[in-house]
Short mmCIF file of all heavy atoms in Angstrom, two decimals:
data_model
loop_
_atom_site.label_atom_id
_atom_site.label_comp_id
_atom_site.label_asym_id
_atom_site.label_seq_id
_atom_site.Cartn_x
_atom_site.Cartn_y
_atom_site.Cartn_z
N GLY A 29 5.57 27.10 0.36
CA GLY A 29 6.35 25.89 0.58
C GLY A 29 7.81 26.20 0.87
O GLY A 29 8.43 25.59 1.76
N ARG A 30 8.38 27.15 0.12
CA ARG A 30 9.77 27.53 0.35
C ARG A 30 9.95 28.18 1.73
O ARG A 30 10.92 27.91 2.43
CB ARG A 30 10.26 28.50 -0.73
CG ARG A 30 10.66 27.78 -1.99
CD ARG A 30 11.37 28.73 -2.96
NE ARG A 30 10.71 28.61 -4.23
CZ ARG A 30 9.89 29.52 -4.76
NH1 ARG A 30 9.68 30.65 -4.16
NH2 ARG A 30 9.33 29.30 -5.92
N LEU A 31 8.98 28.99 2.12
CA LEU A 31 9.03 29.63 3.44
C LEU A 31 8.93 28.57 4.54
O LEU A 31 9.69 28.61 5.52
CB LEU A 31 7.90 30.65 3.58
CG LEU A 31 7.81 31.35 4.93
CD1 LEU A 31 9.05 32.20 5.18
CD2 LEU A 31 6.55 32.20 5.00
N ALA A 32 8.02 27.62 4.40
CA ALA A 32 7.88 26.56 5.40
C ALA A 32 9.14 25.71 5.47
O ALA A 32 9.58 25.30 6.56
CB ALA A 32 6.66 25.70 5.06
N SER A 33 9.74 25.42 4.33
CA SER A 33 10.98 24.64 4.30
C SER A 33 12.11 25.36 5.00
O SER A 33 12.87 24.76 5.76
CB SER A 33 11.37 24.35 2.85
OG SER A 33 12.58 23.67 2.80
N ALA A 34 12.22 26.66 4.77
CA ALA A 34 13.27 27.44 5.41
C ALA A 34 13.06 27.49 6.92
O ALA A 34 14.00 27.33 7.70
CB ALA A 34 13.31 28.85 4.83
N ALA A 35 11.82 27.71 7.34
CA ALA A 35 11.52 27.75 8.77
C ALA A 35 11.77 26.40 9.42
O ALA A 35 12.33 26.31 10.53
CB ALA A 35 10.08 28.19 8.99
N SER A 36 11.42 25.34 8.74
CA SER A 36 11.64 24.00 9.26
C SER A 36 13.12 23.69 9.38
O SER A 36 13.56 23.10 10.37
CB SER A 36 10.97 22.98 8.34
OG SER A 36 11.24 21.68 8.76
N GLY A 37 13.90 24.11 8.41
CA GLY A 37 15.35 23.91 8.46
C GLY A 37 15.98 24.64 9.64
O GLY A 37 16.84 24.10 10.34
N LEU A 38 15.52 25.87 9.87
CA LEU A 38 16.03 26.63 11.03
C LEU A 38 15.64 25.94 12.33
O LEU A 38 16.46 25.80 13.23
CB LEU A 38 15.48 28.05 11.00
CG LEU A 38 16.06 28.98 9.94
CD1 LEU A 38 15.29 30.29 9.93
CD2 LEU A 38 17.53 29.22 10.21
N PHE A 39 14.40 25.51 12.42
CA PHE A 39 13.93 24.86 13.63
C PHE A 39 14.70 23.56 13.89
O PHE A 39 15.09 23.28 15.01
CB PHE A 39 12.43 24.58 13.52
CG PHE A 39 11.85 23.96 14.75
CD1 PHE A 39 11.62 24.72 15.88
CD2 PHE A 39 11.51 22.62 14.77
CE1 PHE A 39 11.08 24.15 17.01
CE2 PHE A 39 10.98 22.04 15.90
CZ PHE A 39 10.76 22.81 17.03
N ARG A 40 14.91 22.74 12.84
CA ARG A 40 15.67 21.51 13.00
C ARG A 40 17.10 21.80 13.43
O ARG A 40 17.67 21.08 14.24
CB ARG A 40 15.68 20.71 11.70
CG ARG A 40 14.52 19.73 11.62
CD ARG A 40 14.60 18.93 10.38
NE ARG A 40 14.01 19.79 9.35
CZ ARG A 40 14.32 19.79 8.08
NH1 ARG A 40 15.22 18.99 7.62
NH2 ARG A 40 13.74 20.60 7.24
#
Side-chain angles (χ1 to χ4, degrees):
R30 279 191 232 106
L31 178 64
S33 176
S36 175
L38 288 173
F39 183 75
R40 270 183 277 150

